[in-house]
Amino acid sequence: MIHSLFLISNAGDLFLEKHWKSVISRSVCDYFFEAREKAVEPDNVPPVIRTPHHYLINIYREKIFFVSVIQTEVPPLFVIEFLHRVAETFQDYFGECSETTIKDNVVIVYELLEEMLDNGFPLATESNILKELIRPPTILRSMVNTITGSSNVGETLPTGQLSTIPWRRAGVKYTNNEAYFDVVEEIDAILDKSGTTVFAEIQGVIDACVKLSGMPDLTLSFMNPRLLDDVSFHPCVRYKRWESERVIAFIPPDGNFQLMSYHISAQNLVAIPVYVKQNISFFETGSSGRLDITVGPKQTMGKTLECLVVTVHMPKVVLSANLSATQGTYNYDPVTKILVWDIGKLNPQKLPNLKGSLSLQSGAPKPEENPSLNIDLKIQQLAISGLKVNRLDVYGEKYKPFKGVKYVTKAGKFQFHSPYWTIYGPRRVAAWQPPSSARSPSRRLSAPGTPHLSPLGVEVSGEEPLPLGGAVWEEPDHH
Amino acid sequence: MLSPWFLCRNEDLKEMLESNKESLKLEAMKRIVGLIAKGKNASELFPAVVKNVASKNIELKKLVYVYLVRYAEEQQDLALLSISTFQRALKDPNQLIRASALRVLSSIRVPIIVPIMMLAIKEAATDLSPYVRKTAAHAIQKLYSLDPDQKEHLIEVIEKLLKDKSTLVAGSVVMAFEEVCPDRIDLIHKNYRKLCNLLVDVEEWGQVVIIHMLTRYARTQFVSPWREDAVFDENSAKAFYDSEEERRVDQSKPYIMDPDHRLLLRNTKPLLQSRNTAVVMAVSQLYWHLAPKHELSIITKSLVRLLRSHREVQYIVLQNIATMSIQRKGMFEPFMKSFYVRSTDATHIKTLKLEILTNLANEANISTILREFQTYVKSQDKAFAAATIQAIGCCATNISEVTDTCLNGLVLLLSNRDETVVAESVVVIKKLLQTQPSQHSDIIKHMAKLFDNITVPMARASILWLMGEYCEHVPKIAPDVLRKMAKTFTDEEDIVKLQIVNLAAKLYLTNSKQTKLLTQYILNLGKYDQNYDIRDRTRFIRQLIVPNEKSGALSKYARRILMAPKPAPVLQSAFKDRDRFQLGTLSHTLNSQASGYLELSDWPAVAPDQSVRNVEVVEPVRLPCIYLVFKDNVKNFDAVSWPVCVSLQASSPVFVPETSHELLHRMTGKGLSAQYRFTRQPCIYGNSMVSLQLTLSNSTDQALENIHISEKSSTGQNIHRFNAIERLEPQASVTVSMGVDFNDSTQAANFQLCTKEDEFSVSIQPAVGELLLPITMSEADFTKEQGKLVGMNESSATITMTPENVSSQSVNRKVVSVANLGVIPSGQENIYRFSGKTVSSGSLVLVSVVLKDPDAVITINTEKTVMGSMLLRQVKTALTNSGP
């Protein structure tokens, strides 16, 4: 399946290679470099590249390309999922997955890759098992190892490997038995200028930190499990129990893991905790513009909004911003054209406001579209969907563990769209008529309702071309 | 970058490796691994490294393994030095060491050790540890790629491993099956239900492989569920298992899904909830290819969920959705908003989403989609804006209600500030106008008017083509355009020039009065163009439209040739023909067949025999591990062939029969049934006992309590009883072991099997072959011992062999299945020797079979003459009977 793996930095430096079958020359990566160059942005590199004799399947993560070489038919997602698993394992072992840490720990990386794949087929990918085979580096251990000459490599087969619950090792022992669950929800939403929800959904995950002795069998139940629309589970969860009883029954891995993720897409269920009043406009003349943004609370269920940040991707022609904020700090980066306004905690009594002028590149045409706003926020002690954990039961072990559930709501891809044509205003065919087009000969004549003659003397109509009604080509509403 | 590894030279490393200190060696190996990781050549160090292969330090050993696997292919002779170490490690009591030895041994790509690998794999396939068996499954593929000639032998191992009930092995062996013998679908039959049932517990990667394989399998074994009159009763499965009669489906009856087909669908469904995206995709494609159409909708949600995963995952999933959405719009229509493009999406993701939105468009949602497209046209990413315009064109042709709306929208785009947008619009408009030219002369006029401002060659060429094609609709403008083109002809791109010539020709034919001179001028310019295509075209056109004596009959048809009505281009999805590939495969992603792609067959018209998947329920047999002792040197291994076991350590059975015998039928046992089986293992309860395995099952609906064997034994045999079973739940069964001393006689052992309430008399009658234990000896010893046991201790018979029994394998198999004997390697081809001892007294039993075509002489030498003659009878029957 997976023949070889090459790690390539964003700068194009091939810094690690590993082969699971016979050696493939690294020159095969030239095809990748070619595609990389063509794509300009690293995100645009196609995940599957065909070369005369091989196929390259790559992922881009943490500024590293993981390029795998394939020779025969294989489900591409199989490889992609595995490569992500490799990156996650590195992150798990070294705290971060970067070129430097990989280079510093090259021996452990090699030992890991050796265990994770055999002849190109995944062998051990559970972090619990890997950690028994190859112990993660710590400063203390590396010191002890240098002195005593002992090694990082386990000598016996991890017990999990053989059992039907490979994610858990046997003989776990804690003096304090604890199980904590974090319910983290992210709101993905697009709202139009009037604050109407165009699109909203909630992505939730339940992260667990379970430190329990022995082989506990846990059951987690919810007050309102019907809320959960679409779920995916850690392999430890018994599907059948969920299907029949809507409870989550599992023998947990030891330590931190993601128990499940879920998705709530019904729009009426998604509460929008914040509103934004915005007015960004560019003047037709004088190469300048105005900006006025106010943020206020909406459906917050009585909780405080924290870590509020507003990000605006300005059009390329905006040179600088001269603004004043009633709360927090703002920063405009003229290179990336990103305006970041860090508000912090929201005080409902005194709404934060950012106001001022923008200066544009002189002579450049007015931006075609107005920027949209991205919001970042956090609400502690609240799952915005209203999901509530009912209880956690421990079977199979006698002790009484400490249990805890924490709820957090965050903004995911949370966008407020501003209308496109602030100065021209919405108008029927406006969307198809660029406001200023130097080349269009019909521009000055294109006001609606006035038929006019083109230089060639042909009649061109500015109206009427909408047989199926304005409904189709009417003003864009949500952008 | 200066890393310390660059500074150390090979000599230093060599010195470190040869030092006595473990820590120095380890440090050196770490540096070497660092070199390998960088792709630096470290092959010079091979001799120094390979010496450390037997190191006690496990980390050092592992690093040496890494090195060996990397360089063994280049340094074959030196690599052979390490082989014996692995052979030793293959017998280590620690399963991790056994497994890793096999992993490395099989990864060393040196053809000369193929026989050794083959042996090691065969042994490991019967190892007690499922982890080692898993490694064996992986090794099969490695050996196959090294030496494809081993295929037949490897298939035997695969067949054996497919029967394995461990979830750990299942994925790996199916992988080996797919690689080595994907066409041997017959090997799957008996394991089909087991694989379906194990699937949920198999590790994620194995699930993917098994699901793909089962998809292929199902398409060959079941009939198509895609029928109008289909009945999808989940209960039909029950009916199938309950009675044999129901299975005979009447041909006239409507379609009823095969219960095995249903089993597969039911058991894969929960995996849609897996966190592993590859598993979700695998199940989705299984449903797509196998499920009745109305059950497809359950995969939609899961696929849409995958869109929240990484960029690369999105890419693959979107591609598959694109293919699905062509055939079944309805599946994804409710989730249309999930395919809205975000400004942060990568270009290839954007294009795919656009593709899907176009596929999903219908009369009801087109207005929403077009509104969404409008915003995309304004995107900063101009390539994407251009793709959007193409998509609008597609929608316009597919949905006739909006054609005009789209066309007008596109016309408005012609005055866009951006070059690419305008150009793309022109090209799309051209295609649209071809479908209904007459009504749109104003658009052509409008385009003519914009012509001066358009610089993209493709767009200019498109407008010119339109002018020429529909010059009758724009009689005034077309000549004017031609006039302007005549002026700029020399500065135009080739593609534009060709269209100018084209336009000139068409106008000449329709309106020669106005354009005759212009056309001649242009043709003259073209005649001396630098590009030969243009010169060619010019010459051709001149001959065609300006008749002279040299031009043949063709010029008469000039008008019909040039002005022929042209078919409108069909704007269709690029994913239209991708459904020829199985979804979720690499070939589907690439839209061309990747090497090793396995075609998904069409449904058979008539379902093949269903009973092939029936399996008798037998207790699983774990074969004990057999360790080979290599006395001879490496070269002799070629001669060794399976299953002739080389000098076996005493007391490992060559063959363990799986058949069980009935001890107590459930009718006589008031619901308690018992079966027994000879395990052929030395008994742990006493040296003179035969070891037995007893399976007790409760077929009543109440629990049975206190099941035991009563103390009093009716015959004189010494019996080791199993510990009383306190409670046996209804429908449950339990396996226990016991030992019986038969005193080397086939007299039945009678005893009482008791429950709390009842006592049942039962008896075990052993076959003579089960009263033996295998032993091993050399060929010379055998002949020596045989010489001592002559006269009345020898019994022999001559038989006529059935031809299929003549091969060495079948003779061996037949004999060891009748009696628990060891096989002795034979120097002569036609002589087979077996040896064992009786369990109780330990008397030697020697069996030899000498083939003299077509006859065979069986000789049995033993002190126990009664047993000898009984054994002779049995061996005789076995060898004369055909069949396995």
Side-chain angles (χ1 to χ4, degrees):
Chain A
M1 291 200 135
I2 299 170
H3 219 290
S4 303
L5 175 72
F6 296 99
L7 299 190
I8 298 170
S9 73
N10 198 13
D13 177 21
L14 199 167
F15 64 93
L16 189 114
E17 63 177 69
K18 168 90 183 109
H19 308 274
W20 284 277
K21 301 185 182 183
S22 53
V23 178
I24 290 178
S25 156
R26 54 164 67 195
S27 62
V28 73
C29 290
D30 292 347
Y31 295 100
F32 169 79
F33 290 123
E34 206 174 284
R36 167 76 184 84
E37 208 164 303
K38 218 156 108 193
V40 187
E41 289 295 317
D43 270 341
N44 287 344
V45 179
V48 182
I49 300 167
R50 190 193 332 215
T51 78
H53 301 291
H54 305 93
Y55 308 99
L56 305 178
I57 298 185
N58 68 84
I59 65 161
Y60 181 62
R61 229 181 128 147
E62 321 290 339
K63 299 206 168 103
I64 300 172
F65 287 101
F66 292 71
V67 183
S68 62
V69 185
I70 310 294
Q71 257 181 332
T72 52
E73 172 65 51
V74 58
L77 269 187
F78 185 98
V79 182
I80 289 169
E81 178 79 24
F82 176 79
L83 293 178
H84 279 292
R85 213 56 81 76
V86 170
E88 274 150 30
T89 307
F90 290 168
Q91 208 147 14
D92 194 23
Y93 263 74
F94 313 126
E96 58 161 358
C97 170
S98 70
E99 193 184 342
T100 342
T101 47
I102 291 175
K103 278 182 175 169
D104 288 350
N105 295 290
V106 73
V107 174
I108 294 187
V109 165
Y110 236 71
E111 286 170 343
L112 278 174
L113 291 176
E114 187 74 30
E115 287 304 333
M116 290 182 84
L117 275 187
D118 181 18
N119 194 37
F121 190 78
L123 192 61
T125 49
E126 278 297 331
S127 108
N128 265 287
I129 288 177
L130 284 172
K131 281 185 176 162
E132 274 182 74
L133 284 169
I134 300 146
R135 286 166 206 125
T138 59
I139 294 169
L140 184 69
R141 185 170 302 128
S142 61
M143 265 165 54
V144 170
N145 287 351
T146 6
I147 297 161
T148 62
S150 61
S151 74
N152 280 328
V153 177
E155 298 201 13
T156 49
L157 186 72
T159 45
Q161 184 68 280
L162 286 177
S163 68
T164 43
I165 39 171
W167 54 85
R168 189 172 179 90
R169 60 197 169 95
V172 183
K173 211 149 176 58
Y174 289 102
T175 42
N176 293 324
N177 289 297
E178 18 182 54
Y180 298 114
F181 296 89
D182 288 0
V183 179
V184 184
E185 296 195 337
E186 289 191 0
I187 312 169
D188 284 0
I190 299 173
L191 295 102
D192 68 12
K193 193 203 179 190
S194 58
T196 318
T197 311
V198 175
F199 169 81
E201 58 179 26
I202 294 171
Q203 322 280 358
V205 294
I206 298 182
D207 286 322
C209 175
V210 179
K211 294 180 173 175
L212 298 175
S213 315
M215 274 289 169
D217 196 338
L218 306 184
T219 307
L220 185 77
S221 61
F222 299 101
M223 307 274 262
N224 39 7
R226 305 244 160 260
L227 215 55
L228 300 174
D229 187 18
D230 176 32
V231 284
S232 71
F233 296 119
H234 189 276
C236 69
V237 176
R238 299 184 185 105
Y239 299 119
K240 292 231 164 78
R241 287 287 299 278
W242 170 255
E243 301 231 308
S244 57
E245 301 164 51
R246 297 274 142 178
V247 296
I248 298 178
F250 59 104
I251 294 171
D254 187 33
N256 295 313
F257 63 98
Q258 191 179 86
L259 179 63
M260 65 179 285
S261 66
Y262 57 90
H263 178 220
I264 295 169
S265 61
Q267 266 182 29
N268 45 359
L269 284 175
V270 182
I272 303 296
V274 70
Y275 75 86
V276 174
K277 261 200 271 182
Q278 54 161 329
N279 187 11
I280 303 173
S281 52
F282 301 105
F283 301 124
E284 192 76 337
T285 52
S287 49
S288 66
R290 284 200 56 75
L291 178 143
D292 188 347
I293 304 174
T294 310
V295 184
K298 214 170 160 186
Q299 294 156 282
T300 59
M301 328 269 170
K303 306 277 195 237
T304 324
L305 297 178
E306 293 171 46
C307 305
L308 202 57
V309 179
V310 178
T311 315
V312 189
H313 287 261
M314 288 292 183
K316 288 207 172 61
V317 289
V318 176
L319 287 182
S320 65
N322 185 14
L323 310 167
S324 68
T326 59
Q327 188 189 339
T329 53
Y330 82 92
N331 178 36
Y332 180 67
D333 184 344
V335 181
T336 55
K337 310 284 179 196
I338 295 174
L339 173 72
V340 180
W341 178 26
D342 191 342
I343 301 171
K345 214 178 235 171
L346 185 79
N347 180 1
Q349 267 72 52
K350 196 170 158 289
L351 298 180
N353 171 267
L354 181 73
K355 205 161 142 180
S357 62
L358 306 167
S359 59
L360 274 58
Q361 201 178 325
S362 59
K366 198 187 79 73
E368 259 186 64
E369 55 182 312
N370 268 349
S372 48
L373 272 62
N374 290 291
I375 306 279
D376 223 344
L377 57 84
K378 201 165 160 185
I379 311 168
Q380 301 278 12
Q381 295 309 320
L382 174 73
I384 197 89
S385 67
L387 185 75
K388 274 225 151 57
V389 173
N390 183 22
R391 53 183 295 143
L392 176 76
D393 296 305
V394 183
Y395 300 99
E397 295 288 336
K398 295 208 166 57
Y399 51 77
K400 281 250 168 288
F402 296 104
K403 300 181 269 194
V405 181
K406 218 167 71 184
Y407 299 92
V408 181
T409 297
K410 291 177 184 168
K413 294 167 184 157
F414 201 104
Q415 279 192 344
F416 281 87
H417 280 254
S418 57
Y420 282 91
W421 316 107
T422 38
I423 290 179
Y424 282 79
R427 200 176 49 194
R428 258 177 67 165
V429 285
W432 287 103
Q433 288 182 321
S436 61
S437 169
R439 212 183 301 117
S440 165
S442 62
R443 187 179 68 80
R444 64 199 155 79
L445 298 165
S446 64
T450 45
H452 53 269
L453 293 173
S454 75
L456 270 168
V458 182
E459 211 181 321
V460 174
S461 160
E463 212 199 23
E464 280 313 313
L466 304 166
L468 213 123
V472 177
W473 293 109
E474 229 172 24
E475 54 154 321
D477 54 10
H478 61 84
H479 291 280
Chain B
M1 206 173 352
L2 277 181
S3 131
W5 296 323
F6 276 89
L7 299 175
C8 51
R9 287 169 302 142
N10 282 349
E11 290 82 66
D12 299 339
L13 286 171
K14 227 175 253 173
E15 213 166 276
M16 285 166 85
L17 283 170
E18 272 153 17
S19 82
N20 295 324
K21 277 198 195 149
E22 289 276 289
S23 59
L24 265 182
K25 286 181 178 178
L26 190 61
E27 184 57 36
M29 272 324 290
K30 283 184 174 175
R31 290 182 189 182
I32 293 170
V33 167
L35 289 176
I36 296 175
K38 283 217 170 55
K40 299 262 180 302
N41 187 6
S43 58
E44 271 180 39
L45 295 161
F46 203 99
V49 173
V50 84
K51 278 180 206 155
N52 291 305
V53 73
S55 164
K56 288 272 179 299
N57 182 324
I58 194 143
E59 186 169 21
L60 179 61
K61 192 144 95 176
K62 277 202 165 177
L63 295 177
V64 173
Y65 285 0
V66 168
Y67 182 92
L68 255 179
V69 172
R70 171 69 180 76
Y71 286 112
E73 206 171 359
E74 296 172 24
Q75 309 252 356
Q76 307 212 345
D77 292 345
L78 284 169
L80 289 179
L81 294 175
S82 63
I83 302 298
S84 60
T85 320
F86 297 123
Q87 289 181 317
R88 225 172 298 133
L90 283 171
K91 283 169 284 168
D92 197 283
N94 182 337
Q95 51 183 341
L96 182 64
I97 293 180
R98 284 205 302 279
S100 67
L102 180 61
R103 271 180 71 186
V104 182
L105 182 67
S106 54
S107 299
I108 295 177
R109 298 180 56 82
V110 178
I112 208 166
I113 63 162
V114 164
I116 300 180
M117 273 161 78
M118 193 66 220
L119 263 179
I121 289 172
K122 279 178 168 166
E123 265 178 70
T126 54
D127 199 291
L128 273 181
S129 156
Y131 184 70
V132 177
R133 296 201 298 274
K134 184 188 177 75
T135 320
H138 288 185
I140 291 173
Q141 305 163 49
K142 298 185 212 172
L143 180 54
Y144 180 63
S145 73
L146 185 64
D147 182 9
D149 293 345
Q150 301 292 324
K151 188 169 174 179
E152 287 314 309
H153 297 286
L154 289 172
I155 292 176
E156 277 171 35
V157 185
I158 289 174
E159 195 174 355
K160 197 180 291 167
L161 283 172
L162 274 172
K163 293 198 183 102
D164 206 301
K165 290 202 169 54
S166 162
T167 51
L168 204 59
V169 184
S172 302
V173 67
V174 171
M175 189 62 226
F177 170 84
E178 292 280 81
E179 203 122 307
V180 179
C181 51
D183 47 335
R184 288 290 304 274
I185 219 92
D186 57 299
L187 297 180
I188 303 299
H189 292 321
K190 292 268 181 247
N191 302 298
Y192 173 82
R193 288 179 196 152
K194 182 195 74 190
L195 284 173
C196 286
N197 289 321
L198 285 184
L199 197 57
V200 180
D201 293 321
V202 174
E203 34 86 40
E204 307 159 290
W205 312 108
Q207 285 172 349
V208 178
V209 176
I210 295 176
I211 292 172
H212 273 270
M213 188 275 288
L214 289 180
T215 310
R216 258 182 340 106
Y217 177 85
R219 280 291 276 263
T220 61
Q221 299 300 318
F222 307 127
V223 286
S224 167
W226 304 332
R227 289 217 242 140
E228 296 301 314
D229 55 347
V231 173
F232 302 99
D233 188 6
E234 284 257 354
N235 297 328
S236 63
K238 267 190 197 146
F240 170 70
Y241 290 114
D242 282 347
S243 95
E244 288 284 298
E245 302 308 310
E246 297 240 2
R247 215 179 64 212
R248 289 185 204 119
V249 182
D250 192 343
Q251 287 303 314
S252 64
K253 267 192 191 169
Y255 169 80
I256 292 172
M257 187 180 266
D258 187 313
D260 284 328
H261 190 170
R262 173 56 65 198
L263 177 76
L264 178 60
L265 292 176
R266 201 176 22 223
N267 284 3
T268 48
K269 192 180 153 194
L271 296 178
L272 283 172
Q273 245 96 60
S274 172
R275 67 166 171 177
N276 188 316
T277 58
V279 175
V280 179
M281 188 67 233
V283 179
S284 303
Q285 66 82 25
L286 180 132
Y287 262 77
W288 177 259
H289 292 295
L290 299 180
K293 297 291 185 199
H294 68 275
E295 285 174 40
L296 258 182
S297 54
I298 63 159
I299 64 171
T300 314
K301 213 180 260 180
S302 307
L303 283 175
V304 172
R305 182 182 71 231
L306 298 190
L307 296 180
R308 270 170 272 135
S309 190
H310 301 283
R311 172 183 75 93
E312 299 84 6
V313 175
Q314 286 181 34
Y315 174 71
I316 305 292
V317 174
L318 284 171
Q319 276 192 326
N320 286 291
I321 292 181
T323 305
M324 292 185 194
S325 63
I326 291 174
Q327 286 183 35
R328 302 188 68 82
K329 280 181 204 234
M331 260 176 88
F332 294 97
E333 218 198 306
F335 295 89
M336 203 172 73
K337 282 186 178 173
S338 305
F339 304 108
Y340 282 6
V341 174
R342 289 175 185 276
S343 53
T344 44
D345 285 335
T347 311
H348 48 261
I349 304 261
K350 286 180 185 165
T351 348
L352 280 169
K353 283 186 171 174
L354 211 53
E355 183 74 46
I356 293 168
L357 285 175
T358 316
N359 291 342
L360 292 182
N362 57 26
E363 286 82 1
N365 61 21
I366 183 70
S367 59
T368 330
I369 288 180
L370 283 181
R371 201 176 303 152
E372 186 66 20
F373 281 176
Q374 267 177 285
T375 57
Y376 301 164
V377 170
K378 286 188 219 75
S379 160
Q380 296 289 328
D381 185 346
K382 288 307 164 196
F384 171 57
T388 309
I389 294 169
Q390 288 281 1
I392 294 174
C394 272
C395 289
T397 41
N398 295 341
I399 302 161
S400 52
E401 282 90 337
V402 293
T403 311
D404 290 333
T405 323
C406 290
L407 201 50
N408 286 307
L410 289 169
V411 170
L412 289 172
L413 277 180
L414 289 177
S415 40
N416 194 288
R417 213 190 310 172
D418 191 88
E419 188 95 294
T420 39
V421 172
V422 176
E424 203 67 36
S425 307
V426 170
V427 176
V428 174
I429 290 174
K430 184 201 114 190
K431 287 182 188 165
L432 284 181
L433 287 186
Q434 262 183 278
T435 56
Q436 36 185 185
S438 52
Q439 307 144 26
H440 294 292
S441 53
D442 50 336
I443 293 175
I444 301 173
K445 285 174 200 160
H446 184 65
M447 286 167 78
K449 185 184 63 188
L450 292 175
F451 188 75
D452 294 342
N453 296 313
I454 292 171
T455 51
V456 176
M458 188 61 207
R460 284 175 81 85
S462 295
I463 295 180
L464 289 174
W465 185 86
L466 273 176
M467 289 287 145
E469 191 64 23
Y470 306 116
C471 52
E472 276 152 350
H473 300 296
V474 283
K476 285 186 191 146
I477 305 172
D480 191 49
V481 171
L482 188 65
R483 175 186 60 81
K484 281 195 260 176
M485 285 300 97
K487 278 200 275 185
T488 56
F489 185 89
T490 45
D491 303 326
E492 298 290 346
E493 290 281 330
D494 292 344
I495 177 175
V496 184
K497 284 180 182 168
L498 285 176
Q499 287 308 325
I500 296 173
V501 174
N502 212 349
L503 173 66
K506 284 175 181 172
L507 283 177
Y508 181 83
L509 289 175
T510 54
N511 186 6
S512 60
K513 213 160 64 182
Q514 271 186 303
T515 55
K516 191 171 180 185
L517 286 172
L518 270 174
T519 307
Q520 271 174 5
Y521 175 68
I522 286 167
L523 289 177
N524 281 335
L525 283 178
K527 194 174 170 184
Y528 300 106
D529 199 86
Q530 284 186 322
N531 185 302
Y532 50 75
D533 275 345
I534 293 165
R535 295 200 298 273
D536 237 29
R537 176 74 63 87
T538 314
R539 247 173 249 131
F540 161 64
I541 292 285
R542 187 189 291 275
Q543 295 299 323
L544 193 62
I545 60 172
V546 190
N548 54 19
E549 57 275 15
K550 261 188 265 171
S551 65
L554 209 57
S555 59
K556 265 190 259 170
Y557 302 104
R559 198 179 168 87
R560 272 166 73 184
I561 290 169
L562 282 171
M563 305 305 281
K566 285 136 190 113
V570 189
L571 299 175
Q572 63 176 13
S573 168
F575 283 80
K576 190 89 185 161
D577 58 343
R578 281 214 192 184
D579 54 356
R580 65 201 155 112
F581 295 110
Q582 186 177 358
L583 291 186
T585 59
L586 182 64
S587 305
H588 176 267
T589 294
L590 296 167
N591 198 17
S592 76
Q593 187 157 335
S595 60
Y597 173 76
L598 300 167
E599 201 83 39
L600 203 59
S601 69
D602 274 333
W603 297 101
V606 182
D609 185 15
Q610 304 176 329
S611 62
V612 289
R613 286 183 291 276
N614 293 345
V615 250
E616 308 141 46
V617 185
V618 225
E619 267 307 301
V621 189
R622 284 285 147 72
L623 289 174
C625 29
I626 304 167
Y627 301 132
L628 296 187
V629 185
F630 299 126
K631 284 179 184 155
D632 309 6
N633 62 11
V634 176
K635 279 176 193 146
N636 278 351
F637 280 113
D638 298 42
V640 178
S641 75
W642 188 262
V644 189
C645 279
V646 226
S647 46
L648 274 165
Q649 283 180 340
S651 79
S652 293
V654 180
F655 173 82
V656 180
E658 296 188 22
T659 46
S660 5
H661 313 273
E662 183 147 274
L663 187 63
L664 181 65
H665 190 263
R666 67 183 159 93
M667 296 312 285
T668 43
K670 296 183 183 166
L672 175 71
S673 68
Q675 297 200 305
Y676 68 93
R677 195 173 70 76
F678 292 98
T679 61
R680 291 194 170 182
Q681 303 292 328
C683 186
I684 49 171
Y685 305 116
N687 281 337
S688 57
M689 284 186 181
V690 174
S691 151
L692 285 158
Q693 206 175 55
L694 224 57
T695 307
L696 301 160
S697 353
N698 180 358
S699 55
T700 63
D701 45 10
Q702 296 148 26
L704 292 169
E705 287 177 357
N706 190 25
I707 303 169
H708 63 280
I709 295 174
S710 93
E711 293 297 317
K712 48 182 197 283
S713 167
S714 44
T715 43
Q717 284 103 339
N718 185 7
I719 295 176
H720 185 276
R721 297 164 184 83
F722 59 87
N723 291 337
I725 299 156
E726 280 181 17
R727 190 178 165 85
L728 187 59
E729 293 299 332
Q731 305 309 325
S733 62
V734 66
T735 304
V736 292
S737 56
M738 59 182 290
V740 180
D741 188 350
F742 286 101
N743 285 324
D744 291 347
S745 95
T746 51
Q747 204 184 359
N750 299 318
F751 54 92
Q752 313 285 323
L753 191 62
C754 312
T755 62
K756 201 176 166 193
E757 291 96 3
D758 298 290
E759 268 188 33
F760 309 103
S761 292
V762 292
S763 73
I764 295 175
Q765 170 103 50
V768 64
E770 305 298 341
L771 302 174
L772 305 172
L773 281 175
I775 54 168
T776 172
M777 56 176 71
S778 71
E779 207 175 340
D781 288 341
F782 185 94
T783 14
K784 207 171 93 193
E785 293 296 334
Q786 202 176 24
K788 290 181 195 164
L789 295 165
V790 286
M792 64 176 292
N793 289 335
E794 183 179 88
S795 41
S796 69
T798 310
I799 53 160
T800 313
M801 298 278 285
T802 39
E804 65 260 39
N805 287 352
V806 174
S807 78
S808 67
Q809 281 197 17
S810 70
V811 170
N812 281 326
R813 202 173 57 233
K814 296 262 173 177
V815 175
V816 296
S817 65
V818 165
N820 190 15
L821 293 167
V823 183
I824 289 173
S826 169
Q828 295 136 285
E829 260 184 30
N830 55 342
I831 301 180
Y832 303 96
R833 298 187 174 93
F834 309 87
S835 65
K837 59 174 186 180
T838 60
V839 175
S840 285
S841 60
S843 320
L844 210 56
V845 179
L846 305 173
V847 179
S848 57
V849 179
V850 183
L851 296 186
K852 288 179 197 147
D853 196 47
D855 293 339
V857 180
I858 309 166
T859 316
I860 293 178
N861 306 70
T862 178
E863 283 171 10
K864 300 270 174 184
T865 44
V866 184
M867 287 181 80
S869 59
M870 287 168 85
L871 191 59
L872 180 67
R873 213 160 39 231
Q874 297 207 349
V875 174
K876 230 164 88 181
T877 358
L879 287 175
T880 41
N881 281 353
S882 49

